[in-house]
Amino acid sequence: MEDDRYEIMPIPPETVRLSQILDLMNHFWSEEPVCVICDLKRDQFLELVVAGIIAEGSCIMTVDNDTNTVVGIRFGLIVEDSIIGTVADNILTLIFHGILWLTDKERHEIHANIMPAICEAVGLKQPRDFFESLECSKMLTGTFLCVAPRARGLGLGKKMVQASEALAREKGATHTVLLASGFYSQRIFSSLHYTLVKEARYEDIRLKDGRGLPNLDKLNPIHTKVVLFTKKLDLPNMICNY
């Protein structure tokens, strides 16, 4: 990989590359296990959520300087224990309670329960549940990690996670908590010495009415489980890549 071709950097809150980021996320939504389970499609509401996450200022992107296009994204949100009702808090509520997937009334009844069921399976109700157990007051919650197909296999995902950690540390976060829903992201976080808190196989997760998760037959067979990870951000490998 040419050192000067791929540039990893924070995403400016008012980025001019939003359309490129959304185009890249089309790959994410079509491949990421939870998005497949929820039959998540790009729409105006989701675009607003993405813009809101970026506006918080804790996201990372990789730009291909040869084509001047975004080929990688790592979304994150900084959450503080002492601040209630922040933009980050509100977005996290959307994500962790499934409102992200309320695209129409017919799908609401099932999809409003999917994320709570997945989170409950690994013991996560809200990221703030971890402030006391981790003894911290500010943490990074990771959301999306995506690399364009043409730029995969170059280690960009791992480098963006490291850059996200470094940016969060600069902002005063001491820990990170995240759900890793796919095999490849789980491998990255394990290689970076994240602590596995709990994991659950998708086929074992049940909704409130006892039914299993929908669309499991559409998953790539390599994705079998969701994993809850934590990490203390002052551990070795804090490498700033921007």
Side-chain angles (χ1 to χ4, degrees):
M1 180 173 63
E2 301 175 18
D3 291 339
D4 58 350
R5 176 169 181 175
Y6 297 104
E7 186 176 358
I8 297 174
M9 67 189 77
I11 303 178
E14 297 181 0
T15 180
V16 297
R17 296 183 181 272
L18 182 58
S19 62
Q20 291 184 12
I21 291 170
L22 289 168
D23 288 342
L24 175 59
M25 290 197 70
N26 282 333
H27 295 288
F28 178 87
W29 289 327
S30 65
E31 297 176 356
E32 196 276 334
V34 172
C35 294
V36 174
I37 290 169
C38 295
D39 191 24
L40 183 61
K41 307 294 184 184
R42 176 174 173 178
D43 59 23
Q44 290 183 334
F45 180 71
L46 286 171
E47 292 181 4
L48 288 173
V49 172
V50 169
I53 294 173
I54 292 173
E56 194 273 334
S58 302
C59 299
I60 296 292
M61 66 181 173
T62 299
V63 175
D64 182 343
N65 288 321
D66 284 3
T67 61
N68 194 31
T69 57
V70 176
V71 296
I73 50 174
R74 170 57 175 163
F75 284 0
L77 291 166
I78 301 293
V79 185
E80 296 185 53
D81 186 31
S82 59
I83 300 178
I84 300 175
T86 62
V87 172
D89 248 0
N90 293 334
I91 293 173
L92 283 170
T93 298
L94 291 174
I95 294 172
F96 281 85
H97 286 283
I99 300 175
L100 221 74
W101 291 276
L102 305 188
T103 53
D104 56 56
K105 186 176 180 180
E106 182 179 354
R107 298 167 68 189
H108 166 76
E109 292 183 4
I110 294 178
H111 292 177
N113 294 318
I114 290 177
M115 279 307 295
I118 291 174
C119 292
E120 183 178 352
V122 292
L124 176 63
K125 295 180 180 178
Q126 281 280 1
R128 350 182 118 260
D129 297 339
F130 281 83
F131 284 118
E132 182 175 351
S133 62
L134 295 177
E135 298 182 345
C136 69
S137 60
K138 184 182 288 189
M139 68 171 66
L140 169 70
T141 58
T143 51
F144 307 134
L145 176 62
C146 176
V147 178
R150 63 184 175 86
R152 292 174 183 171
L154 303 174
L156 296 176
K158 184 174 183 178
K159 290 184 177 180
M160 284 192 294
V161 172
Q162 290 176 303
S164 178
E165 292 176 358
L167 179 60
R169 195 74 180 98
E170 290 176 6
K171 291 174 173 285
T174 58
H175 294 75
T176 182
V177 175
L178 59 90
L179 284 176
S181 58
F183 171 79
Y184 299 108
S185 62
Q186 291 161 10
R187 187 169 62 179
I188 288 173
F189 295 121
S190 294
S191 72
L192 292 173
H193 308 293
Y194 278 67
T195 299
L196 190 157
V197 178
K198 190 175 181 180
E199 62 182 46
R201 294 181 62 84
Y202 290 118
E203 64 184 13
D204 296 331
I205 298 174
R206 293 291 179 268
L207 302 177
K208 288 183 178 179
D209 60 8
R211 286 180 292 175
L213 296 175
N215 299 318
L216 293 185
D217 59 322
K218 298 179 182 179
L219 286 184
N220 184 325
I222 200 170
H223 304 306
T224 61
K225 61 186 178 181
V226 60
V227 180
L228 177 64
F229 284 111
T230 64
K231 183 180 180 181
K232 190 173 183 180
L233 293 181
D234 63 358
L235 290 176
N237 79 30
M238 289 297 299
I239 302 172
C240 184
N241 293 279
Y242 56 85

